[in-house]
Amino acid sequence: MERTIWEDHGEGEGVQEEDPLLLDTREDEADVEDIVLEHEHQREVFEEAEVVDETGESNAVPDQDGGGGEGGNSFINERFFNERLFNERWFNETALPVVEWVRENRVLVVAVLLALLILRWKLKDLRRRWFAAFLNRFYRNVDAKMEEMKKDVFATLGSVVSHDPELRKTGGLKILEIGVGTGANFAHYPDGTLLTVVDPNPHFKKYYEANRKKFPNIQAEDIIVSTGEDMDMVPDNSVDVVVVTLVFCSVSDTEKILRQILRVLVPGGKFYFYEHIHEFDAANHAFRRRLQSFLTFVGVWPFIFDNCHLNRDILKAVEATGFSKVEAQRFYAPINHLIFQIIKPSLKGVAEK
């Protein structure tokens, strides 16, 4: 057995050897005694401490029975002391090692954070690419019933008279379409239309370009890559008609877009809208209404379809914006696809400035 040599420098005494097991036991007893003394000392400090407010009166904490006796103070002090010990232990055993690890591996931590940010940005970009491709394919295969429904939405567009004297001669209009996508509404615009388009998704561009070549009777401008909330580049009182179809489900601020629409319309100008909405007949279609809310709440549908929310209905917001007249109708779109039965509840209408 190894033995540790301890030197005692007391006068008249030589070198003395001691068993290390005995020394370890004494050290442990000393540590325990120190902890107990420290505990007692802290308790005495807490019990003797007294907080005095500006009036000189004691703010002693009452005991659990409502009194201000020593029992209440002892209880509070004991709990506070235990919480303090717990916090110190948590910091030393948990927080401090984590901080040290991050400090030692700071290059790795920074690299991981950058990778996550890039992945998040790229994932959003990939979702937008997919959504543009999906809508392009969806509108190429739309059935005749859906086209008839769309014609009904724009039935009165031909009766609108432009505020521009030159366009009035040709029967054309100045139209602003928000969320133009692939240009699926081109077929419903009158000849000679001057079309300004806004869309936040830049990946619609190639589909939009291919589509507008099919309609030489429409002077369609390049896509302004922006949201409807931030289309300040469109002048006040500058367009005869604003068109928005299947867009409000994904916008971040419905009221702001509606105010922008009211701003850009000329006096007497019209706002045409068609949107899928939250199920409005809960008595007969309660399951669809609950499913719309669930898929939106858990984020599944918004993730797949570029922030599309299934549980919105913009009619009250349109009516509260300040239009002089609003005519709208809730109805069921003639959608046959099984998955998209969930977006059958719809709203169409015309609002006039």
Side-chain angles (χ1 to χ4, degrees):
M1 176 186 299
E2 287 187 3
R3 305 179 72 85
T4 303
I5 307 300
W6 293 84
E7 293 186 359
D8 189 330
H9 299 286
E11 185 176 353
E13 296 183 6
V15 176
Q16 184 179 0
E17 295 184 357
E18 297 218 17
D19 191 326
L21 293 178
L22 182 59
L23 291 173
D24 290 342
T25 303
R26 291 176 180 174
E27 289 177 358
D28 292 340
E29 292 177 351
D31 291 340
V32 172
E33 184 178 357
D34 290 342
I35 292 174
V36 172
L37 290 174
E38 175 66 16
H39 191 152
E40 292 298 329
H41 173 70
Q42 292 291 343
R43 179 178 297 183
E44 290 175 1
V45 171
F46 285 130
E47 291 180 351
E48 292 176 1
E50 182 177 6
V51 180
V52 180
D53 62 14
E54 295 179 356
T55 63
E57 297 181 355
S58 172
N59 289 328
V61 180
D63 60 17
Q64 290 178 303
D65 296 328
E70 294 181 359
N73 284 334
S74 177
F75 172 77
I76 296 298
N77 293 335
E78 178 72 21
R79 184 176 65 179
F80 182 78
F81 180 70
N82 290 336
E83 289 179 354
R84 179 171 175 269
L85 289 178
F86 173 80
N87 291 335
E88 289 179 355
R89 182 178 178 183
W90 176 87
F91 178 79
N92 292 328
E93 297 182 1
T94 305
L96 194 57
V98 171
V99 172
E100 290 297 327
W101 185 89
V102 171
R103 183 181 301 169
E104 294 173 359
N105 299 274
R106 53 185 176 276
V107 175
L108 176 61
V109 172
V110 172
V112 170
L113 290 175
L114 287 175
L116 289 174
L117 288 174
I118 293 172
L119 179 62
R120 181 179 179 183
W121 176 74
K122 282 294 184 181
L123 186 61
K124 182 178 181 180
D125 186 66
L126 289 173
R127 285 167 54 200
R128 286 190 162 186
R129 286 180 184 274
W130 177 88
F131 187 65
F134 164 79
L135 279 189
N136 181 60
R137 185 178 182 84
F138 178 83
Y139 285 126
R140 281 191 304 177
N141 299 313
V142 68
D143 60 30
K145 290 183 178 180
M146 285 294 292
E147 280 300 304
E148 286 299 317
M149 182 271 294
K150 189 72 74 70
K151 287 180 182 179
D152 184 62
V153 171
F154 296 109
T156 62
L157 191 58
S159 64
V160 179
V161 178
S162 177
H163 75 291
D164 187 309
E166 295 301 318
L167 286 177
R168 281 203 298 267
K169 294 177 183 179
T170 62
L173 294 171
K174 283 188 176 181
I175 297 178
L176 166 68
E177 183 170 358
I178 302 172
V180 66
T182 63
N185 294 324
F186 283 178
H188 305 286
Y189 296 153
D191 292 347
T193 292
L194 299 180
L195 182 62
T196 301
V197 295
V198 173
D199 200 294
N201 188 342
H203 302 298
F204 278 118
K205 181 176 174 59
K206 63 179 180 180
Y207 308 115
Y208 169 82
E209 294 290 345
N211 206 18
R212 73 171 174 171
K213 290 176 182 178
K214 302 175 185 177
F215 299 91
N217 57 320
I218 297 174
Q219 299 181 41
E221 298 180 359
D222 292 337
I223 295 178
I224 299 173
V225 181
S226 176
T227 63
E229 294 96 326
D230 299 318
M231 58 178 189
D232 297 330
M233 69 291 294
V234 181
D236 297 357
N237 306 308
S238 61
V239 297
D240 303 307
V241 172
V242 174
V243 173
V244 184
T245 60
L246 301 177
V247 170
F248 279 96
C249 61
S250 60
V251 302
S252 59
D253 192 331
T254 298
E255 287 74 19
K256 188 174 182 180
I257 283 192
L258 289 170
R259 290 195 300 270
Q260 288 274 36
I261 291 170
L262 195 63
R263 176 184 67 81
V264 301
L265 279 171
V266 298
K270 294 187 176 182
F271 165 41
Y272 285 76
F273 54 92
Y274 157 57
E275 299 289 331
H276 67 79
I277 59 174
H278 205 193
E279 175 57 61
F280 50 86
D281 186 1
N284 295 311
H285 301 287
F287 175 75
R288 176 157 53 201
R289 184 176 176 87
R290 287 195 295 268
L291 185 59
Q292 288 176 326
S293 297
F294 174 76
L295 291 176
T296 301
F297 176 76
V298 299
V300 173
W301 197 272
F303 180 82
I304 297 174
F305 295 104
D306 199 19
N307 202 42
C308 173
H309 290 63
L310 295 167
N311 57 353
R312 293 183 179 178
D313 189 338
I314 66 166
L315 182 55
K316 289 184 178 179
V318 173
E319 292 172 338
T321 299
F323 292 98
S324 63
K325 182 169 62 175
V326 177
E327 296 179 350
Q329 177 187 358
R330 293 187 177 98
F331 69 105
Y332 290 103
I335 298 173
N336 295 322
H337 196 286
L338 179 62
I339 293 177
F340 295 105
Q341 294 294 303
I342 200 167
I343 61 171
K344 282 178 71 77
S346 302
L347 174 72
K348 63 181 178 180
V350 181
E352 184 174 329
K353 182 172 178 178

